[in-house]
Amino acid sequence: MAAVPEDAASAADSPAPTGSTAGSSDNEITVEETSFVHTEPQQDGSAPPVVTTDMEVLHDKVKKQVIKEGQGKVPLKFSTCFVHYRAWVQSSGHKFEDTWQEQHPVEIVIGKEKKQMTGLGIGVGNMRRGERALLHVGWELGYGKEGSFSFPNVPPTADLIYEVELIGFDDAKEGKARSDMTVEERIEAADRRKLEGNDYFKEKKFDEAMQQYEMAVAYMGDDFMFQLFGKYRDMALAVKNPCHLNTAACLIKQKRFDEAIAQCSIVLSEDETNMKALFRRGKAKAELGQTEAAREDFLKAKKHSPEDKEILRELRLLAEQDKVMYQKQKELYKGLFGPRPQPKPKTTNPLLVFWQWLVSLISYLAKIFTRKND
């Protein structure tokens, strides 16, 4: 059965009815036959990537080289953009900031960015969703004549290099940053991103889907969630948890099982009985060969839905794998510690037998001759 995003109206952490499928939900993507947030570039990030594309002049002090093409339009003024970036001092090659490593995208409101991020803002304002680029920023639009107090390794008049990815953006009214939004506005913005992610998932555009889920989660940051309680916390979790679970579904599809486990564990830290998180984490662990840990997750999920066909199927598969492994080990040990082979009977040499007979005859005759002489 194909994976299908479901309607986002129901609560994320509501248990599935008895006999339902563990991969399905009222609120998140269904993953039936799974063989998953971060769009981390394919290099270690210790130094700026080598880029051979043409240099585009965006400003007298800002130049851009495209690493990966994006799609759609560029952000408007006052758009709220979510980006990941790494930053280096051009002269020394020292890396002083890395949001991928910190696992939190940064929010930039175009036209309202901090002074030291003016050059970065100009670059982001000329990027499309999903685009990754190398930005060369002059010191005048960076940390200026003073350098950085927060990053002591950024000296005065330091030109900067940024590797940037524009995850996505919202054309928010009046350029509202997350901190200026009401609780309802933040949840509504996050829910829009989640629904767009579901649309991408239907089209099997998993990277694009994960970008939308990551933006949604960015609206539901830890500092924001810490302040919520009661119905507002439930409303926020009804958006946030499905985004983590949908991200896990994407990661499983992409065979990025360790990352899928991490996404499910985030949900389980909020709701340790979430059946779908247990099921998907168990699935990812099973794919990594972590049989006992996978079985533990599946059994916990089974407690909440004893008749779930998907959970029962996964437990049967693990049991079959155990049988196969037992037979292999049995054959191996049989070869190592089996009964000793019986020695083969020695073959008789006719010539040797003749000489033995002849020696015996001569010895016998010699004895008779000796007796007669006596």
Side-chain angles (χ1 to χ4, degrees):
M1 189 185 301
V4 181
E6 299 289 344
D7 179 61
S10 304
D13 51 358
S14 59
T18 300
S20 66
T21 302
S24 65
S25 168
D26 296 332
N27 192 27
E28 65 233 18
I29 292 167
T30 301
V31 178
E32 296 271 351
E33 299 174 357
T34 53
S35 339
F36 47 28
V37 29
H38 289 292
T39 50
E40 173 71 24
Q42 301 299 313
Q43 65 249 353
D44 61 12
S46 59
V50 177
V51 184
T52 58
T53 55
D54 293 338
M55 191 84 71
E56 181 183 354
V57 178
L58 306 179
H59 181 278
D60 185 39
K61 298 297 178 181
V62 182
K63 300 176 180 64
K64 181 182 81 166
Q65 290 177 283
V66 175
I67 299 173
K68 174 190 171 186
E69 294 285 352
Q71 52 188 300
K73 62 182 182 179
V74 299
L76 300 173
K77 188 175 182 180
F78 301 138
S79 292
T80 302
C81 301
F82 295 91
V83 301
H84 270 306
Y85 66 83
R86 294 187 175 108
W88 295 266
V89 175
Q90 181 173 299
S91 58
S92 65
H94 174 77
K95 183 174 75 171
F96 60 90
E97 195 169 11
D98 188 338
T99 67
W100 277 293
Q101 189 174 23
E102 296 165 3
Q103 299 186 355
H104 287 291
V106 171
E107 176 189 45
I108 297 177
V109 178
I110 303 298
K112 291 187 176 182
E113 62 275 338
K114 297 177 183 177
K115 181 180 178 182
Q116 62 268 29
M117 300 178 76
T118 303
L120 178 61
I122 291 172
V124 171
N126 285 273
M127 296 173 66
R128 291 174 169 79
R129 178 176 48 79
E131 180 178 335
R132 191 157 66 240
L134 202 66
L135 299 179
H136 304 262
V137 177
W139 63 267
E140 296 89 344
L141 299 183
Y143 289 90
K145 294 181 179 180
E146 296 80 15
S148 173
F149 178 79
S150 301
F151 304 107
N153 289 313
V154 179
T157 66
D159 293 336
L160 307 175
I161 296 177
Y162 290 95
E163 180 185 5
V164 189
E165 180 174 11
L166 176 58
I167 300 169
F169 59 89
D170 277 327
D171 292 326
K173 295 179 180 179
E174 300 176 359
K176 275 191 176 181
R178 284 174 293 179
S179 56
D180 298 328
M181 292 181 177
T182 65
V183 172
E184 291 88 348
E185 287 174 333
R186 286 181 74 154
I187 295 173
E188 181 184 355
D191 194 52
R192 287 199 307 270
R193 299 275 68 80
K194 184 190 72 174
L195 293 176
E196 286 196 27
N198 290 352
D199 290 339
Y200 282 119
F201 190 95
K202 288 179 184 178
E203 300 172 12
K204 298 184 178 181
K205 296 179 178 179
F206 301 124
D207 287 330
E208 289 84 350
M210 286 190 289
Q211 287 174 343
Q212 296 302 314
Y213 297 140
E214 189 169 12
M215 286 179 62
V217 171
Y219 279 108
M220 306 285 106
D222 293 339
D223 55 340
F224 175 72
M225 295 297 298
F226 182 76
Q227 302 173 38
L228 300 183
F229 58 91
K231 73 170 185 177
Y232 286 116
R233 185 172 180 82
D234 292 340
M235 289 169 59
L237 287 175
V239 177
K240 182 176 182 288
N241 282 352
C243 287
H244 288 300
L245 291 174
N246 293 351
T247 296
C250 293
L251 290 166
I252 290 172
K253 285 288 188 182
Q254 295 186 339
K255 301 186 183 301
R256 295 161 59 183
F257 301 117
D258 285 321
E259 295 170 77
I261 290 170
Q263 292 293 320
C264 294
S265 295
I266 292 172
V267 176
L268 291 168
S269 68
E270 292 279 359
D271 177 12
E272 62 183 11
T273 65
N274 189 294
M275 190 190 72
K276 297 164 192 68
L278 287 167
F279 177 82
R280 291 181 189 174
R281 190 172 72 173
K283 183 68 178 175
K285 288 178 177 178
E287 292 287 353
L288 290 173
Q290 301 172 9
T291 306
E292 290 307 315
R295 195 192 323 274
E296 184 179 348
D297 279 344
F298 289 138
L299 289 173
K300 286 180 181 178
K302 185 184 175 186
K303 287 182 180 179
H304 304 288
S305 186
E307 305 300 324
D308 189 286
K309 295 178 181 178
E310 285 294 304
I311 297 172
L312 296 175
R313 182 173 70 88
E314 293 298 332
L315 286 170
R316 283 196 303 271
L317 287 174
L318 289 180
E320 290 170 6
Q321 290 176 14
D322 289 342
K323 288 181 181 179
V324 172
M325 183 61 66
Y326 172 76
Q327 289 298 328
K328 287 182 178 179
Q329 291 176 345
K330 187 177 178 181
E331 291 298 322
L332 175 63
Y333 294 145
K334 183 179 179 180
L336 291 175
F337 306 108
R340 292 182 179 180
Q342 295 296 323
K344 295 181 180 179
K346 296 180 179 180
T347 57
T348 305
N349 189 329
L351 183 60
L352 180 60
V353 173
F354 172 75
W355 280 108
Q356 289 174 343
W357 175 81
L358 183 59
V359 169
S360 298
L361 179 61
I362 293 172
S363 176
Y364 174 74
L365 293 174
K367 288 180 181 179
I368 293 175
F369 180 76
T370 303
R371 289 175 184 173
K372 285 183 178 181
N373 289 337
D374 293 339

